[in-house]
Amino acid sequence: MNVQSRVHAFLRATPLRYCFHLAKAHLGGSPQSDESVILSRIVGQSPKTFLEFGFHPTEYNCIGLSDFRGLLVDGDATTVRLARSLLPKRIEVRQSFIDLDNIKNLATHFPQLGVLSVDVDGNDYWFLQALLPVRPAVIVAEYNASFGLNPITVPYDLAFDRTAKHDSGWYHGASITALTKLCKTHDYKLVAVSAAGANAFFLPDASDIPELEPAQAYREKVLRNRWSRTTAKDQWERIKHMPFIEAP
């Protein structure tokens, strides 16, 4: 475990984390970047429900949907405990290590799903593939900018842990191209990408919002580049030898 990981683990185990998120909650919390702005623009008349996999108690993609009922799912017990103490009752929080067997049960939590958000730093492609038949009105999916425009995803692994897979932590998820191709097979189109280069947004093909091509929408991940002092090209050079599956 590197120094940064040790410090992170220490802070997670102390009351400091709770105090930090409590103070942040009183300030209203936030998404990672401009996700709330994008969602407010594209959500339209969708059902007022959301399902989000992978979150922080005061930082998640659907945090701006203040009149929606929601279900947040994460495998980390501390994250879930914090969220239950901080979030309003209209949002249910559930601890679950999701896999391809149990994710479909979670997907039917709401009879009609407005927004689906997937950000698990691992099996994102495979989980999204399993959830697409639910037909959410809006899809938010994290893409891995370190993969560039290569149409690839990591292979499915029930116990996926990105820090264990590669010491950089950059080997996880799928590229924006792979996610776009996957969504196209279910008649969804790419319509936006967050300014921080983390999340891609998809709507049904029938939407009036113009479609984007991955090449014009792609952005490098701002925080990853800043923290590592590298570019997506540098990151790809570190992980390109790892096993990948090309999206059909």
Side-chain angles (χ1 to χ4, degrees):
M1 184 182 291
N2 60 31
V3 173
Q4 183 179 2
S5 297
R6 289 178 185 275
V7 171
H8 183 66
F10 170 76
L11 291 174
R12 287 171 64 85
T14 71
L16 292 175
R17 186 177 185 228
Y18 177 83
C19 294
F20 169 77
H21 285 297
L22 182 62
K24 191 173 180 182
H26 285 303
L27 294 174
S30 66
Q32 296 182 62
S33 176
D34 58 341
E35 287 83 3
S36 289
V37 174
I38 295 172
L39 280 175
S40 68
R41 177 169 60 87
I42 69 174
V43 74
Q45 300 301 311
S46 76
K48 292 185 179 299
T49 58
F50 70 80
L51 172 60
E52 184 157 347
F53 293 97
F55 70 96
H56 295 287
T58 55
E59 184 180 291
Y60 54 95
N61 292 330
C62 295
I63 198 168
L65 301 176
S66 57
D67 56 344
F68 280 51
R69 291 183 299 127
L71 173 62
L72 297 173
V73 183
D74 198 275
D76 183 75
T78 304
T79 294
V80 169
R81 187 166 58 251
L82 280 168
R84 284 175 176 163
S85 68
L86 296 174
L87 298 179
K89 294 187 182 298
R90 63 182 174 81
I91 300 177
E92 181 180 344
V93 183
R94 190 175 301 182
Q95 182 187 0
S96 178
F97 291 96
I98 56 174
D99 56 40
L100 289 178
D101 291 325
N102 66 19
I103 197 169
K104 292 180 182 178
N105 292 330
L106 292 166
T108 57
H109 183 78
F110 296 112
Q112 292 184 302
L113 183 56
V115 181
L116 168 66
S117 177
V118 181
D119 177 359
V120 295
D121 290 340
N123 295 312
D124 304 65
Y125 181 94
W126 308 106
F127 292 155
L128 180 57
Q129 184 181 62
L131 293 166
L132 278 167
V134 177
R135 302 300 302 172
V138 181
I139 296 169
V140 188
E142 183 188 48
Y143 69 93
N144 188 340
S146 302
F147 294 173
L149 291 171
N150 299 300
I152 53 175
T153 177
V154 299
Y156 178 73
D157 183 344
L158 179 64
F160 197 98
D161 180 343
R162 69 187 179 102
T163 57
K165 290 287 187 181
H166 192 276
D167 59 5
S168 68
W170 300 333
Y171 176 73
H172 62 87
S175 71
I176 188 172
T177 308
L179 293 173
T180 301
K181 292 180 72 173
L182 173 61
C183 288
K184 287 297 288 183
T185 64
H186 287 261
D187 301 318
Y188 286 89
K189 61 185 178 182
L190 176 66
V191 297
V193 167
S194 62
N199 289 292
F201 296 76
F202 301 88
L203 291 176
D205 284 341
S207 166
D208 293 334
I209 296 179
E211 181 175 5
L212 300 175
E213 293 298 324
Q216 69 183 114
Y218 170 84
R219 292 185 175 98
E220 296 193 22
K221 191 165 187 177
V222 174
L223 290 179
R224 177 170 293 179
N225 289 8
R226 183 182 302 160
W227 291 339
S228 65
R229 297 182 180 179
T230 63
T231 66
K233 183 178 179 180
D234 299 326
Q235 294 152 23
W236 174 243
E237 288 299 316
R238 285 276 306 277
I239 58 177
K240 66 181 182 181
H241 66 283
M242 299 292 287
F244 293 98
I245 293 178
E246 186 167 329

